[in-house]
Amino acid sequence: SSSDSVVTLLDYGAGNVRSLRNAIRYLGLEIKEVQTPEDILNADRLIFPGVGAFGTAMDVLNKTGMGEALREYTEKDRPFLGICLGLQLLFDYSEENGHGKVFVYEISCSGFSLNNGSAFLVYNSQCVSVDGLGLIPGVVRRFDPSNGCRVPHIGWNALKFVKHADILEDIGNQHVYFVHSYHATPAISLAAICNFGCIEARGFIHSIPLQSPENDEWVTSTCNYGGDFITSIGRGNVNAVQFHPEKSGDVGLSILRRFLFPKLSFSKKVNGRKASKLAKRVIACLDVRANDNGDLVVTKGDQYDVREQTGENEVRNLGKPVELAGQYYRDGADEVSFLNITGFRDFPLGDLPMLEVLRRASENVFVPLTVGGGIRDFTDANGRYYSSLEVASEYFRSGADKISIGSDAVYTAEEYLKTKVKTGKSSIEQISRVYGNQAVVISIDPRRIYLNSPSDVVFKAVRVTNPGPNGEEYAWYQCTVNGGREGRPIGAYELAKAVEELGAGEILLNCIDCDGQGKGFDIDLIKLISDAVSIPVIASSGAGCAEHFSEVFSRTNASAALAAGIFHRKEVPIQSVKEHLLNEGIEVRI
Ligand code: 1PR
């Protein structure tokens, strides 16, 4: 019937759901937009991709009457798929931008034996929380970096299945893509939160806040990231997942397919249960700029110089951006990054071809797309002012999942270190407030400056593995702007810490000295930065063979490694990098 070819989408306009729309269309369905609460109640099949922050989303849902309709729809067990925040909103409460109530969690524990009797423990933890839809018992909390995990949780994890769910039938041991800072917790066994030494604790926490979080009947899978958290729920026709099926490659598309076409039968795969850590990501990067004919091409520099050293000195041309992005997706890249490398001098919203590249790439690439270059406040030739947030929004609308900021982050960090004041007005703060920290990547372009002694500069210096040309044993890493053309009075270490405080969600760490050299990543630099911050760090610049990837993952705390040249020149396929990592015992998505 015609209703079988339509899915209703609840998009309350808080961010980028373009990726999901692309995935639904790719699977051959039409999308009906929810305009009124009745559209929810009349849906045959509803997808709710929550985006933005919990409190803001609930405000919108409550004001529009959509919240009430969602409650009714899910309570009636109508076909529902929540994604990311669309899972979290089904719970009782969240700590994310709670503005109303202050709860003191009183967690009373029972059901375990202590001195032959039952015991109570009062666990005092203050939480300002905000009400959710309240379909599922439990609280949504922030990941805690003191548990040894980087926040946001970004990347690919395999799931631990605790209960059957039709839509998860095809996952097996394969990884799915997460990006979030908050998570719902399963009914926690007491042993998981209290260290009672000799006491065997096997009870359940009965009240958070004064209400049972016994959501066992809902939980279909979990994952461990500084503790167990809920990765999917399902009961009857109501499903929700914390990860992003629309960004999880083929396996993600199969989850959507199972939800969208429940009547079709698919072959079954056995779901694995092996423990999984967050997989290390392998990212393909496309430096994009116009060549001398004005066509956008993928180029690649040697220490940031992208012009051929021979003949006409033309811009090196390594292919077409949309085609290469599609190729890398099919080859197994975990993410694809576009860097508009002349964005610092050209206004990106004037650069419509770049937006078109994004639009077209995102129609066929179902892993995360990052785009950078030229994100800053700008006044055009007609005197019209654009904020960096407007520039970023245009990138998000065109299909980016994350944006990256280079030069503007350097100026912002310099100012912040001088004044120690968070103005709330910088690009980092504004964009992360609206789109979430996880959507804001800071691209650092440092250059090594050798020193005889670390006390020769006020910036953080390290002892280098390979001494400088005059035998110098130390170096500091100077930040640059405008594609490496200008050095600034701030080090990569100082910048990284400042941007983390300002709300950046990830660092893309290049190194001008290593770029395009194929001699390996700058381990000294990557160690320095990945140990200094608790947000994920992407190592970049210098990969020349598969062994360089295992080296960077075994010797530093980088969460991902990015390369350009070796992939463009087809020297090392992405798949063989992954296989090598797997052989070295490093978890990757295959
Ligand atoms: O300053 O916000 O407009 O952003 C400009 C962005 O463009 C920054 O992210 C900056 O890193 C990038 N960029 C500017 N100029 C260049 C250039 O090459 N002339 N490219 C450039 C940066 C570095 C990596 C490269 C890795 C891996 N290129 O993107 O892909 O070094 O290369 P390899 O594997 O071949 O060694 P703003």
Side-chain angles (χ1 to χ4, degrees):
S1 76
S2 70
S3 73
D4 283 351
S5 59
V6 177
V7 60
T8 305
L9 185 74
L10 171 50
D11 172 9
Y12 50 88
N16 170 32
V17 293
R18 189 181 181 92
S19 307
L20 181 64
R21 287 174 202 279
N22 283 333
I24 295 171
R25 292 205 186 98
Y26 180 86
L27 294 172
L29 267 91
E30 278 169 48
I31 296 167
K32 180 177 188 309
E33 307 285 343
V34 170
Q35 312 279 357
T36 66
E38 288 67 44
D39 293 336
I40 294 177
L41 298 173
N42 294 332
D44 289 320
R45 203 151 285 285
L46 179 70
I47 301 192
F48 180 34
V51 270
F54 193 104
T56 326
M58 277 311 297
D59 281 348
V60 175
L61 294 178
N62 287 333
K63 271 190 204 122
T64 54
M66 306 262 188
E68 201 40 56
L70 271 176
R71 240 177 244 125
E72 191 178 331
Y73 183 86
T74 48
E75 274 162 12
K76 283 188 177 152
D77 193 31
R78 308 278 306 130
F80 175 87
L81 177 63
I83 297 175
C84 196
L85 186 65
L87 172 140
Q88 298 177 6
L89 290 164
L90 300 176
F91 284 79
D92 286 329
Y93 312 97
S94 173
E95 295 180 350
E96 187 181 10
N97 52 31
H99 40 60
K101 302 170 190 159
V102 176
F103 284 112
V104 176
Y105 289 130
E106 275 194 87
I107 305 181
S108 62
C109 308
S110 61
F112 60 94
S113 90
L114 177 66
N115 297 335
N116 296 326
S118 70
F120 279 86
L121 164 90
V122 176
Y123 172 79
N124 273 329
S125 152
Q126 286 237 331
C127 155
V128 183
S129 78
V130 58
D131 284 355
L133 293 168
L135 185 71
I136 307 176
V139 185
V140 175
R141 314 193 67 171
R142 196 162 201 282
F143 283 113
D144 181 357
S146 68
N147 291 337
C149 56
R150 285 171 195 268
V151 185
H153 173 228
I154 299 183
W156 301 78
N157 262 114
L159 307 179
K160 196 166 88 195
F161 296 94
V162 294
K163 220 171 72 186
H164 172 83
D166 282 343
I167 62 162
L168 306 183
E169 203 65 65
D170 301 315
I171 297 191
N173 280 327
Q174 298 174 84
H175 293 77
V176 288
Y177 182 76
F178 291 87
V179 47
H180 58 134
S181 300
Y182 292 80
H183 63 284
T185 32
I188 323 154
S189 75
L190 183 60
I193 62 152
C194 324
N195 185 355
F196 273 170
C198 62
I199 298 165
E200 270 279 290
R202 281 204 203 87
F204 283 92
I205 293 167
H206 283 308
S207 52
I208 299 182
L210 306 176
Q211 189 171 344
S212 167
E214 281 175 12
N215 40 39
D216 297 22
E217 58 162 333
W218 284 97
V219 180
T220 55
S221 69
T222 62
C223 217
N224 192 285
Y225 193 65
D228 278 351
F229 74 95
I230 296 174
T231 48
S232 63
I233 62 97
R235 199 178 76 177
N237 291 311
V238 176
N239 293 280
V241 292
Q242 178 59 65
F243 51 88
H244 288 268
E246 76 281 15
K247 287 280 136 189
S248 296
D250 279 346
V251 64
L253 293 175
S254 79
I255 294 169
L256 290 173
R257 203 177 282 121
R258 284 207 181 255
F259 175 73
L260 296 169
F261 306 100
K263 290 176 199 150
L264 298 184
S265 62
F266 303 94
S267 66
K268 290 196 176 181
K269 282 193 193 142
V270 180
N271 278 334
R273 275 155 225 272
K274 84 177 182 346
S276 164
K277 285 194 299 228
L278 184 62
K280 297 293 186 183
R281 285 171 280 156
V282 175
I283 301 177
C285 181
L286 296 92
D287 290 352
V288 176
R289 61 162 286 171
N291 66 10
D292 299 326
N293 302 326
D295 302 322
L296 274 193
V297 297
V298 174
T299 189
K300 183 65 209 80
D302 262 332
Q303 300 184 328
Y304 285 36
D305 181 358
V306 298
R307 292 197 176 262
E308 300 283 8
Q309 298 308 308
T310 52
E312 308 284 290
N313 253 18
E314 68 273 32
V315 171
R316 220 173 266 138
N317 179 350
L318 291 160
K320 296 190 174 136
V322 178
E323 280 169 25
L324 270 185
Q327 180 68 49
Y328 293 146
Y329 166 65
R330 290 189 296 277
D331 291 348
D334 296 317
E335 274 178 49
V336 176
S337 293
F338 290 107
L339 295 176
N340 186 350
I341 66 169
T342 51
F344 70 90
R345 59 164 184 248
D346 311 324
F347 179 49
L349 296 193
D351 194 358
L352 297 172
M354 187 63 202
L355 297 177
E356 186 58 24
V357 161
L358 259 182
R359 276 186 212 113
R360 287 181 36 223
S362 64
E363 282 167 15
N364 293 301
V365 174
F366 299 107
V367 292
L369 282 175
T370 303
V371 63
I375 298 181
R376 67 200 145 100
D377 297 344
F378 188 88
T379 304
D380 73 9
N382 303 321
R384 158 85 156 86
Y385 169 83
Y386 295 86
S387 71
S388 55
L389 178 61
E390 283 173 86
V391 180
S393 297
E394 200 52 43
Y395 275 149
F396 286 122
R397 268 196 291 276
S398 303
D401 299 289
K402 308 189 240 185
I403 55 87
S404 94
I405 309 174
S407 308
D408 196 53
V410 178
Y411 301 123
T412 301
E414 285 180 31
E415 189 62 23
Y416 175 60
L417 290 179
K418 228 181 281 160
T419 61
K420 302 273 182 253
V421 177
K422 292 184 191 171
T423 61
K425 297 202 173 105
S426 67
S427 52
I428 304 173
E429 293 160 284
Q430 290 197 48
I431 300 167
S432 64
R433 194 163 50 239
V434 175
Y435 290 95
N437 310 63
Q438 80 292 334
V440 180
V441 184
I442 303 304
S443 167
I444 313 183
D445 300 312
R447 192 190 292 284
R448 215 182 287 142
I449 311 277
Y450 289 104
L451 302 166
N452 287 316
S453 155
S455 56
D456 290 353
V457 277
V458 295
F459 309 106
K460 178 89 171 176
V462 291
R463 184 187 268 278
V464 285
T465 310
N466 301 311
N470 303 309
E472 299 94 334
E473 292 189 350
Y474 293 87
W476 73 288
Y477 289 90
Q478 182 184 30
C479 290
T480 65
V481 293
N482 299 351
R485 288 169 182 80
E486 185 194 340
R488 298 292 308 178
I490 182 170
Y493 175 87
E494 290 77 18
L495 180 95
K497 290 182 88 73
V499 298
E500 177 177 30
E501 283 175 34
L502 290 167
E506 198 170 27
I507 286 172
L508 163 50
L509 185 57
N510 302 295
C511 176
I512 297 180
D513 307 77
C514 298
D515 173 57
Q517 305 306 295
K519 294 188 188 137
F521 295 95
D522 189 324
I523 301 293
D524 298 328
L525 168 66
I526 296 160
K527 230 193 202 138
L528 173 71
I529 303 302
S530 63
D531 289 341
V533 294
S534 70
I535 53 179
V537 172
I538 303 167
S540 164
S541 304
C545 59
E547 288 71 21
H548 290 150
F549 289 82
S550 49
E551 180 186 31
V552 77
F553 289 135
S554 52
R555 296 185 52 198
T556 78
N557 286 313
S559 300
L562 171 152
I566 52 166
F567 298 147
H568 301 336
R569 293 187 302 267
K570 304 192 171 40
E571 288 165 7
V572 184
I574 295 174
Q575 210 52 39
S576 54
V577 171
K578 295 271 189 93
E579 278 159 20
H580 168 75
L581 289 171
L582 209 59
N583 286 337
E584 295 294 308
I586 297 167
E587 184 165 340
V588 287
R589 174 183 79 111
I590 291 286

